[in-house]
Amino acid sequence: MRAIPAASAVALLGVAALALTAPAATAAVDGGTTPFGFSVTPATVAPGGRVTLGVTNCSSTATASSGVFDTVNIPAGRTALATVDWDARAGTAYQVTFTCNGVTGRTNLTVAGATRAPVAPTAASTAIAPAGVRGGLGGSVGGVTGGELAAGTALVVVAAAGAVHAARRRGSASRAH
């Protein structure tokens, strides 16, 4: 009977851990002045960074354009990625214009502190030396998504609940003998 409150406590701890570790996602979103919705996520990005452009309630392909990235086509019901120019000025808010069925809406995209621009490759730097397999990248290749974080938290909660259940069974079994 006591396993359920213990499992509830463990589940609440898992949810709290998930809430505290989830990255805060900010987005520049339409203020409701157009018949369609649009967003730029994140609303602040470093030069050379990528943003996700989204449009809702648009029955055709929409476009997003800005002075800080090339014009991007956004298929109906989908999102698209845009790469911010490396020479974008840090601290500057650039206007992003979304167009759907001839109607336009605008929001801002702010460029964060400067990062180092990529070095143009030369003939000497593009030569690849023979080498073995590159291992050890593991989780360092990409970021953690919300789904992966939720799945990991769920596994921790299930393992903790199982441990509590096993400990209580073992305790009640030893008292019976």
Side-chain angles (χ1 to χ4, degrees):
M1 285 296 214
R2 292 185 184 171
I4 291 175
S8 298
V10 171
L12 286 174
L13 284 174
V15 170
L18 175 63
L20 292 174
T21 59
T26 58
V29 182
D30 170 32
T33 58
T34 62
F36 63 95
F38 51 86
S39 65
V40 178
T41 307
T44 302
V45 66
R50 297 183 85 175
V51 292
T52 301
L53 306 167
V55 176
T56 57
N57 300 324
C58 181
S59 59
S60 64
T61 298
T63 60
S65 59
S66 177
V68 73
F69 58 79
D70 296 330
T71 299
V72 176
N73 290 322
I74 307 168
R78 314 247 348 239
T79 60
L81 293 174
T83 302
V84 174
D85 296 336
W86 280 100
D87 60 351
R89 295 184 62 197
T92 304
Y94 290 89
Q95 190 173 69
V96 180
T97 303
F98 290 87
T99 305
C100 172
N101 296 326
V103 179
T104 60
R106 292 174 180 82
T107 190
N108 287 331
L109 171 63
T110 304
V111 177
T115 60
R116 200 177 75 179
V119 177
T122 63
S125 68
T126 57
I128 299 173
V133 174
R134 294 182 65 188
L137 292 176
S140 66
V141 174
V144 176
T145 65
E148 291 171 334
L149 196 57
T153 302
L155 288 172
V156 169
V157 168
V158 168
V164 168
H165 177 70
R168 292 202 180 263
R169 278 189 75 175
R170 176 178 258 176
S172 64
S174 67
R175 278 187 243 135
H177 291 273

